[in-house]
Amino acid sequence: MGQNLAKKIISSHLVAGSLTTGQEIGIRIDQSLTQDATGTMAYLQFEALNLPQVKTELSVSYVDHNTLQAGFENADDHAFLQSVAAKFGIYFSRPGNGICHQVHLERFGKPGKTLIGSDSHTPTGGGIGMLAIGAGGLDVAVAMGGGAFYLPQPQVLQVNLTGQLPDWVTAKDIILEVLRILSVKGGVGKIVEYTGPGVKTLTVPERATITNMGAELGATSSIFPSDEQTLAFLTAQGREADWIPLTADENAEYDESITIDLSTLVPLAAQPHSPDLVVPVQDLTTIKVQQVAIGSCTNSSYMDLMRVAAVLKGRSVDPSVSLVISPGSRQVLTMLAENGALTDLLDAGARLLESACGPCIGMGQSPSSSAVTVRTFNRNFKGRSGTADAQAYLTSPETAAACALTGYLTDPRTLGAYPSVSMPAQFRYDDSMILPPGDPQTEIVRGPNIKPLPIAPSLPASLALPVILKVEDNVTTDDIMPAGAKILPLRSNIPAMSQYVFEKIEPEFAAKARSAGQSVIVGGQNYGQGSSREHAALAPMYLGVRVVLTQSFARIHRANLINFGILPLTFVHPEDYSRIKTGDPIQLSGLQAAIGSDEPFAITIAGSDQPIWVQHTLTKRQASIILAGGLLNQTKTLN
Ligand code: MIC
Ligand code: SF4
């Protein structure tokens, strides 16, 4: 049997472990990216490693999340990031230059390379044939320092694409179909590899829409081969020298396989409040829409916006709808400006935002009370838009444009002929807003918003602590550590930010945690899905959370908990979840021995003689991190 593409790239970067599913492996990292909302922490951590320069082939620091400057905080963070980049050998993409994943694809991504990014949508790079993985900032800091990135060897799930998309059906509908089939837990522990004759019908930006939203499957990464389409994209970006052909062997082996016939797909929408609640748009057409938001790292490429412009040209947005558009990059925006498509958008009544994450992360443009908002984004978690009772639907740009015109959820196939838009032979590239690395003597600019890193205590032999919160399945990192325009500016200030932990689920959480001193959280399945934000581990750690006990975890969040010294445990018998309630005092003893062993161990609820069996499934490397009180403590001990 031949090798699949994911395993080929892993094999060529393997520095620890072997290719046995589930075993921990370490891979060498060629490129890294950070964005501002996670980057401040990642670079504080990099500084703590005491290294003079990054050791990767390429590292880029982007500013795209916290771009509303309603006070000094975000601007202070930008200045910090710019000075750190200059000093440590990192490229700096200035605010306004675009969303990290879009710009990275355009200007830096290379087939066959490994990329780690402090953002869960880093797998966007899989669209160009990279093995691109999202991680917490500390893992990115370690990789920038030349350390390996560790992960359980993923299974490889083949998605075999046959046929060709009908008019008005898009790459977004393909990934929504995959989400419908597999759910938000379906990709956990897996790399999703796209193969089959349908692949060559998709351009790189279309592939990137699909790999981007693989994050919503919980997948470790998603990847497409590097072929003629990849060469065409790189050539149009003036980067043909970066192309290599790369594909799975003819008879490659996969752990699982599904087939999707593209010609059978229809326009789809993910309903509130989960990206896997997918139905055909034609079933939703009685729903009134108040806001349409087009943009985000999923769907803001040049071709996406050209199609939107073609749909809107000569028409008007319904007066009951606010249409906001955030182009993915300065490249996209300047091309639209130059060819007149921007005028078509503005003439139709679109409101233009800067090239940044914007409404996707609740950084402005929150919809009105109980509004229906149709978004081309990748996440529609409750409250993420900044309006607690808003109802967010996720669709393709074409569907979103149709909704903007009619004021209802609208199947775009009702609009008539599909506008033909093709990939330009040449994109307009001007990298003047990407600053190359500067002087290693650069003084780091540290405004009052940059607070020192909190460090976790090491793990004691026993712990007696109360359950301060019990939550259900699929709790997101947006639930644990909300984002939005009010809280995001505090990303480099953990003491201030920790006030908001679990704010939407239990407004008293921070106060309760403080008064308990030390505490445990109990969760259902897929705890911590969504964002890579390590603040969802760091801030609870700062508030004294020592253990999180669940039925299962999302990959990045579990790694972040370990990195910050919070012990992640799972129930041996998932039904034991129902035996624990908020307020129960939990007793864990013989902890160091239990962590040193692979066996399940018993914990008790004080006053009950029935033990609850739990397991940690930590590798030896992770166990030593937990015992040391987190990766920074451990790395310092090793130095
Ligand atoms: C997101 O889409 O939730 C974010 C904001 O990009 C996060 C990173 C963050 O919380 O800063 C992500 O996806 O990792
Ligand atoms: Fe930015 Fe949204 Fe993409 Fe996250 S998902 S990187 S917030 S555009």
Side-chain angles (χ1 to χ4, degrees):
M1 281 298 222
Q3 233 181 3
N4 57 53
L5 174 55
K7 286 210 173 143
K8 281 189 186 180
I9 303 184
I10 292 175
S11 315
S12 63
H13 288 81
L14 198 66
V15 292
S18 68
L19 296 188
T20 321
T21 298
Q23 298 282 308
E24 187 171 75
I25 54 168
I27 56 172
R28 182 168 42 79
I29 295 298
D30 302 320
Q31 298 190 349
S32 73
L33 71 77
T34 56
Q35 40 88 341
D36 49 329
T38 53
T40 43
M41 274 299 141
Y43 294 115
L44 286 171
Q45 288 153 352
F46 184 78
E47 276 191 288
L49 299 177
N50 273 323
L51 293 167
Q53 291 270 292
V54 293
K55 295 189 179 153
T56 41
E57 287 173 14
L58 172 91
S59 288
V60 191
S61 171
Y62 293 91
V63 178
D64 52 4
H65 281 63
N66 297 351
T67 52
L68 280 186
Q69 291 163 218
F72 64 93
E73 292 89 348
N74 289 342
D76 274 13
D77 285 359
H78 302 169
F80 168 77
L81 291 167
Q82 183 164 344
S83 63
V84 165
K87 183 176 180 66
F88 292 118
I90 299 161
Y91 284 82
F92 181 71
S93 173
R94 301 183 62 198
N97 194 46
I99 305 174
C100 55
H101 308 303
Q102 175 69 25
V103 177
H104 207 84
L105 195 75
E106 292 168 357
R107 307 306 304 144
F108 295 112
K110 287 188 188 177
K113 296 286 181 185
T114 52
L115 165 70
I116 184 176
S118 62
D119 190 280
S120 64
H121 291 100
T122 304
T124 311
I128 209 166
M130 310 187 85
L131 181 63
I133 303 180
L138 184 47
D139 283 333
V140 177
V142 168
M144 286 191 289
F149 174 62
Y150 291 92
L151 73 165
Q153 164 67 41
Q155 295 194 336
V156 185
L157 163 66
Q158 176 186 33
V159 178
N160 181 35
L161 301 178
T162 63
Q164 196 163 348
L165 288 171
D167 284 355
W168 295 106
V169 184
T170 70
K172 182 61 158 281
D173 302 303
I174 302 177
I175 186 62
L176 288 174
E177 174 68 0
V178 179
L179 273 152
R180 190 187 68 74
I181 299 170
L182 296 175
S183 90
V184 291
K185 304 196 282 283
V188 176
K190 297 174 191 167
I191 294 179
V192 184
E193 184 168 322
Y194 290 85
T195 67
V199 162
K200 63 175 188 308
T201 68
L202 301 170
T203 61
V204 165
E206 289 172 314
R207 295 173 183 188
T209 292
I210 296 171
T211 54
N212 170 283
M213 223 178 151
E216 279 51 66
L217 297 164
T220 303
S221 191
S222 300
I223 190 163
F224 275 82
S226 169
D227 58 8
E228 296 302 313
Q229 288 277 11
T230 324
L231 176 59
F233 178 79
L234 282 169
T235 307
Q237 292 286 353
R239 298 204 290 125
E240 57 275 30
D242 290 341
W243 183 72
I244 52 162
L246 201 57
T247 176
D249 293 336
E250 272 296 283
N251 54 352
E253 202 178 4
Y254 292 91
D255 297 290
E256 274 173 80
S257 178
I258 57 173
T259 293
I260 296 178
D261 178 355
L262 301 182
S263 62
T264 63
L265 295 182
V266 297
L268 296 170
Q271 306 170 93
H273 299 284
S274 181
D276 59 359
L277 295 177
V278 174
V279 294
V281 178
Q282 63 194 5
D283 295 354
L284 302 171
T285 50
T286 55
I287 297 172
K288 178 79 196 83
V289 172
Q290 281 79 28
Q291 185 193 51
V292 172
I294 297 178
S296 93
C297 56
T298 319
N299 272 125
S300 58
S301 69
Y302 171 75
M303 280 177 349
D304 281 336
L305 296 192
M306 283 303 289
R307 287 212 188 85
V308 170
V311 169
L312 296 184
K313 189 178 167 77
R315 294 167 157 141
S316 291
V317 169
D318 188 88
S320 66
V321 176
S322 167
L323 168 65
V324 291
I325 297 184
S326 29
S329 67
R330 186 162 156 270
Q331 175 180 93
V332 173
L333 179 54
T334 53
M335 285 177 74
L336 296 177
E338 228 168 46
N339 70 16
L342 185 61
T343 309
D344 297 334
L345 295 170
L346 298 176
D347 279 350
R351 300 168 65 182
L352 182 67
L353 305 177
E354 85 177 301
S355 293
C357 300
C360 177
I361 194 56
M363 188 55 67
Q365 302 302 324
S366 297
S368 56
S369 294
S370 69
V372 166
T373 172
V374 174
R375 310 184 140 211
T376 65
F377 308 164
N378 45 39
R379 291 186 173 145
N380 58 348
F381 303 143
K382 196 167 191 313
R384 183 175 159 102
S385 65
T387 301
D389 57 1
Q391 308 284 315
Y393 291 79
L394 306 175
T395 70
S396 69
E398 287 82 339
T399 300
C403 300
L405 290 175
T406 64
Y408 284 87
L409 266 145
T410 301
D411 185 327
R413 292 174 300 179
T414 56
L415 292 182
Y418 189 48
S420 118
V421 172
S422 46
M423 211 174 56
Q426 183 86 69
F427 286 98
R428 183 180 188 276
Y429 43 86
D430 155 21
D431 292 333
S432 58
M433 281 182 78
I434 301 177
L435 308 182
D439 181 355
Q441 302 310 323
T442 304
E443 187 82 23
I444 294 183
V445 181
R446 233 177 280 270
N449 195 41
I450 315 271
K451 292 280 183 286
L453 274 175
I455 301 281
S458 55
L459 193 76
S462 63
L463 281 170
L465 22 77
V467 175
I468 46 165
L469 184 69
K470 181 175 173 184
V471 289
E472 318 237 297
D473 290 353
N474 295 323
V475 156
T476 70
T477 46
D478 278 277
D479 295 323
I480 304 170
M481 190 69 263
K486 184 173 82 175
I487 307 178
L488 275 171
L490 305 174
R491 280 289 179 93
S492 47
N493 184 345
I494 298 297
M497 179 162 236
S498 63
Q499 301 292 347
Y500 300 97
V501 174
F502 276 117
E503 193 199 27
K504 284 182 266 165
I505 292 185
E506 165 53 292
E508 293 305 309
F509 182 91
K512 278 183 159 181
R514 262 201 217 89
S515 79
Q518 303 193 104
S519 54
V520 47
I521 295 170
V522 173
Q525 287 194 39
N526 200 25
Y527 178 89
Q529 69 158 328
S531 149
S532 67
R533 63 190 70 148
E534 57 194 347
H535 303 77
L538 248 173
M541 179 273 275
Y542 179 80
L543 292 174
V545 175
R546 306 300 306 270
V547 178
V548 180
L549 170 59
T550 69
Q551 290 172 318
S552 68
F553 288 96
R555 174 188 62 90
I556 305 179
H557 186 60
R558 180 171 179 277
N560 285 337
L561 290 173
I562 296 169
N563 281 348
F564 293 103
I566 297 182
L567 177 60
L569 296 175
T570 50
F571 294 100
V572 174
H573 308 293
E575 61 280 9
D576 281 348
Y577 167 82
S578 59
R579 288 178 50 202
I580 303 189
K581 54 181 191 322
T582 307
D584 280 349
I586 303 286
Q587 180 70 44
L588 300 96
S589 37
L591 263 183
Q592 275 147 357
I595 302 300
S597 143
D598 291 339
E599 298 299 313
F601 60 102
I603 63 170
T604 50
I605 304 176
S608 149
D609 47 12
Q610 295 257 311
I612 292 176
W613 287 93
V614 299
Q615 59 204 349
H616 60 69
T617 62
L618 298 168
T619 63
K620 293 273 169 279
R621 187 187 62 86
Q622 292 171 329
S624 68
I625 295 176
I626 284 285
L627 289 171
L631 185 55
L632 272 185
N633 280 341
Q634 193 211 31
T635 314
K636 282 194 179 143
T637 332
L638 295 180
N639 275 344

